[in-house]
Amino acid sequence: MKRLWLVGVLLLAVLGFVLARHTGLFDITSGSSSEQQQTTAARPDTTDSAGENSASTGTSQSSTSEAEGSTATDSTSAGSSTSENSDATTDIAADHVAGQSTDGADVANADAAADAADEGVSPGEAVTKGTFEKGDTVSKVLENAGGQGVLQYVSAARQVFSMRSFREGQPYIVVTDKETGQVKRFEYEIDSRRRLVVEGTESPAARVEPIEYVVLLASVEGTINDNLFQAVADIGENPQMALKLADLFGSEVNFIRDLQSGDSFSVLVEKRYRDSEYKGYGRILAAHFTNKGKTYEAYLFRDGSQRAEYYNRKGENLRKTLLQAPLAFTRISSRFTNSRLHPILNYRRAHHGVDYAAPTGTPVKAVGDGLVTQRGWSGGYGNQIIVKHVAGLESMYAHLSGYARGLATGQRVRQGQVIGFVGSTGLATGPHLDFRLRQNGKFIDPTKAINPRGEPVARKAMAEFEKIMALETAYLKGEKNLSEYEVDSLVPDVPVTAPEKPVEKEKKKPAQKGRR
């Protein structure tokens, strides 16, 4: 009993001490706590440097050691002091991280401000850049960027540009107000030459304007060892150059069967830049292409208000009634014949066309200017297009996988315009184009068809043509400094119209006196 009584007394004493400690009667750590508070209050700005932050933290740890020394007999008090020190250290670290976050935000804000300045917007505006993805609409793009005033912008854009003409992969820019999300400007690149611009808040206005480039003149030359694409790549140029050459000389050279090792080319071409970034080729001003030892020449020239065209040295038009082939860089898999074993039907019959083997999706071009008279399914021909040309000529394109966007029966097309894509629809064993020509209802061999040239340079314009040709040749051969070139100095991109003659006032005829 005596032992139980002693244990009870000890428990009461411990309980009393704890209660006194919590009520503040015994504050044996007040000195260290005040020292801790002074240390925390006196620490330097921790956002200045990591070194200063470490020194401040060290001071806090020193205070904790003193507190532990003065309260060695009270483990509870020591634990309390250590906890306070830990909180102070955490505060310092938090301040340091906050400082770093602020610095990062400042950098991000500076970058955003720089982008805004580049786009010509004020600091209170946000810029959203992107490209149209599959399934995107103008409304969706604008809503994602801000969301305010979308309907007005769509309505304004529709007045000058079709809502169905927005294409996947084309870039856009949306400028919005940072606070309200109100759309203030929308830009969309229609193609490499034009862009749609809508701007305003209460009543947005839309327009289609030309895209401005810095245009530099360049001279490019190469030799074919394997194929034209490889020759272009070997000199560091874009594959688009090979396509441009094929389009330019497509009526003179058959790029499917005529190219051979040792052929060469030299090209005088405009290169376009925007914001110091290369944006592709402009116009070819002059070009020479040597095939099988024969050199073909092309010089761009605009005759007054006529569209600019390419002519050879004699002033003859490079554009012929028909292209040599409706697609480039493929092989002929079957020729025009009156008797061929059909690969599917397994009997012999006439094949009044030329088959070009090519991968599915290869673009197919109209061989001449004309009117689309058929676009649709045609039995064994599969998807087919028929184009009617001058002089009773018709061109036929069969087994297509699809048609160019917007192509319809009754529509006029230009020579070289993409109208469809290679496929294997109908009676076909693999992807290819079945190309045929009819004249006055009778099939003719496309490789032997008479192919007259377009109009030559007018006799009265020959002197001007020879002058322009001499300048283009000098640039091409390096006899004239390319840096001297100014856009439109040789061939205006816009037709030159003759000044209008003043309208002469009609002289009034004296009134005839009637007979009396």
Side-chain angles (χ1 to χ4, degrees):
M1 292 295 293
K2 185 179 285 187
R3 288 182 179 179
L4 292 174
W5 183 81
L6 289 173
V7 169
V9 171
L10 287 172
L11 288 174
L12 288 173
V14 170
L15 181 62
F17 177 79
V18 170
L19 290 173
R21 173 78 174 83
H22 281 283
T23 55
L25 295 177
F26 300 99
D27 190 7
I28 60 177
T29 60
S30 59
S32 64
S33 296
S34 61
E35 186 177 42
Q36 172 69 39
Q37 293 173 1
Q38 291 174 5
T39 302
T40 304
R43 72 173 181 259
D45 186 358
T46 56
T47 62
D48 290 345
S49 68
E52 292 179 353
N53 180 43
S54 300
S56 177
T57 306
T59 305
S60 298
Q61 291 173 342
S62 175
S63 301
T64 304
S65 299
E66 293 179 12
E68 288 177 346
S70 63
T71 59
T73 59
D74 190 344
S75 59
T76 306
S77 178
S80 175
S81 178
T82 304
S83 175
E84 291 177 10
N85 174 58
S86 176
D87 291 341
T89 306
T90 303
D91 289 342
I92 296 172
D95 288 346
H96 184 61
V97 171
Q100 290 180 328
S101 301
T102 304
D103 292 343
D106 290 343
V107 173
N109 291 337
D111 290 342
D115 289 341
D118 289 341
E119 299 301 330
V121 298
S122 65
E125 298 172 336
V127 180
T128 302
K129 295 182 180 180
T131 57
F132 267 76
E133 305 294 338
K134 188 174 183 179
D136 276 352
T137 62
V138 180
S139 298
K140 181 179 178 180
V141 166
L142 294 176
E143 286 171 359
N144 289 342
Q148 299 298 320
V150 172
L151 293 179
Q152 294 94 319
Y153 263 70
V154 172
S155 177
R158 186 179 284 116
Q159 303 300 317
V160 297
F161 190 70
S162 171
M163 293 294 101
R164 296 182 178 181
S165 297
F166 287 88
R167 293 185 294 128
E168 183 180 343
Q170 290 300 107
Y172 68 83
I173 296 174
V174 183
V175 179
T176 57
D177 187 282
K178 285 184 178 179
E179 293 184 359
T180 64
Q182 174 70 43
V183 180
K184 304 181 75 173
R185 182 180 177 90
F186 171 65
E187 294 183 11
Y188 166 77
E189 289 194 14
I190 300 171
D191 50 36
S192 62
R193 302 175 68 89
R194 301 171 300 152
R195 67 181 163 202
L196 167 69
V197 178
V198 187
E199 56 186 350
T201 51
E202 296 181 359
S203 300
R207 65 183 183 275
V208 174
E209 65 182 21
I211 297 176
E212 295 183 358
Y213 293 94
V214 173
V215 179
L216 303 178
L217 196 60
S219 180
V220 176
E221 56 183 40
T223 301
I224 298 174
N225 295 317
D226 185 10
N227 59 67
L228 183 56
F229 277 104
Q230 188 59 51
V232 167
D234 288 344
I235 58 176
E237 294 296 329
N238 192 285
Q240 191 66 28
M241 175 58 70
L243 297 176
K244 279 183 164 288
L245 284 170
D247 286 340
L248 180 55
F249 293 104
S251 295
E252 303 285 341
V253 178
N254 190 314
F255 282 80
I256 295 174
R257 66 167 189 261
D258 290 345
L259 294 189
Q260 61 182 25
S261 180
D263 289 352
S264 61
F265 58 87
S266 56
V267 185
L268 184 67
V269 62
E270 295 175 333
K271 290 188 175 182
R272 298 176 302 180
Y273 297 84
R274 194 166 81 226
D275 299 328
S276 301
E277 183 179 349
Y278 173 69
K279 291 295 184 179
Y281 299 112
R283 301 175 300 171
I284 288 179
L285 299 185
H288 293 170
F289 194 96
T290 301
N291 172 240
K292 297 180 179 180
K294 181 178 180 180
T295 298
Y296 299 90
E297 298 174 277
Y299 302 98
L300 186 63
F301 178 69
R302 182 187 291 279
D303 184 2
S305 61
Q306 302 297 318
R307 70 177 183 180
E309 295 199 69
Y310 292 97
Y311 304 89
N312 61 20
R313 184 167 291 276
K314 298 178 182 179
E316 297 171 334
N317 201 319
L318 259 63
R319 183 174 59 86
K320 295 184 179 181
T321 302
L322 303 174
L323 295 175
Q324 290 279 358
L327 33 78
F329 312 111
T330 62
R331 63 181 178 86
I332 295 177
S333 56
S334 185
R335 297 181 181 276
F336 186 95
T337 178
N338 288 317
S339 179
R340 184 193 72 159
L341 180 64
H342 196 280
I344 294 179
L345 302 177
N346 289 319
Y347 65 83
R348 304 192 75 84
R349 69 176 189 175
H351 181 257
H352 290 158
V354 175
D355 287 350
Y356 294 96
T360 299
T362 300
V364 175
K365 299 177 291 186
V367 293
D369 296 346
L371 181 72
V372 177
T373 58
Q374 180 182 321
R375 173 204 176 278
W377 186 263
S378 185
Y381 290 115
N383 292 326
Q384 185 182 52
I385 297 172
I386 299 178
V387 179
K388 184 178 181 180
H389 309 282
V390 297
L393 276 172
E394 288 179 296
S395 57
M396 307 170 66
Y397 315 80
H399 304 308
L400 301 172
S401 63
Y403 312 98
R405 179 181 296 183
L407 189 76
T409 301
Q411 178 183 336
R412 297 202 66 83
V413 293
R414 304 183 316 276
Q415 184 182 72
Q417 179 180 335
V418 174
I419 56 175
F421 304 93
V422 170
S424 54
T425 56
L427 294 178
T429 57
H432 72 283
L433 173 69
D434 183 339
F435 173 65
R436 305 188 179 213
L437 278 182
R438 281 194 307 214
Q439 188 157 34
N440 299 323
K442 182 181 178 180
F443 286 106
I444 60 175
D445 188 347
T447 62
K448 298 178 181 179
I450 298 174
N451 199 4
R453 294 182 181 274
E455 291 294 321
V457 175
R459 186 182 297 274
K460 63 180 181 180
M462 275 302 294
E464 181 65 18
F465 167 71
E466 290 174 351
K467 175 184 174 183
I468 297 300
M469 181 180 64
L471 287 172
E472 291 174 342
T473 302
Y475 279 120
L476 183 62
K477 293 185 175 181
E479 298 169 357
K480 192 173 178 62
N481 195 330
L482 295 173
S483 63
E484 298 177 8
Y485 173 73
E486 295 181 4
V487 181
D488 294 342
S489 61
L490 293 177
V491 183
D493 199 25
V494 179
V496 178
T497 56
E500 296 182 2
K501 295 181 179 180
V503 180
E504 295 182 2
K505 294 181 179 181
E506 294 184 0
K507 296 180 180 180
K508 293 182 179 181
K509 296 181 180 179
Q512 293 183 351
K513 295 180 180 181
R515 292 183 180 179
R516 291 181 179 177

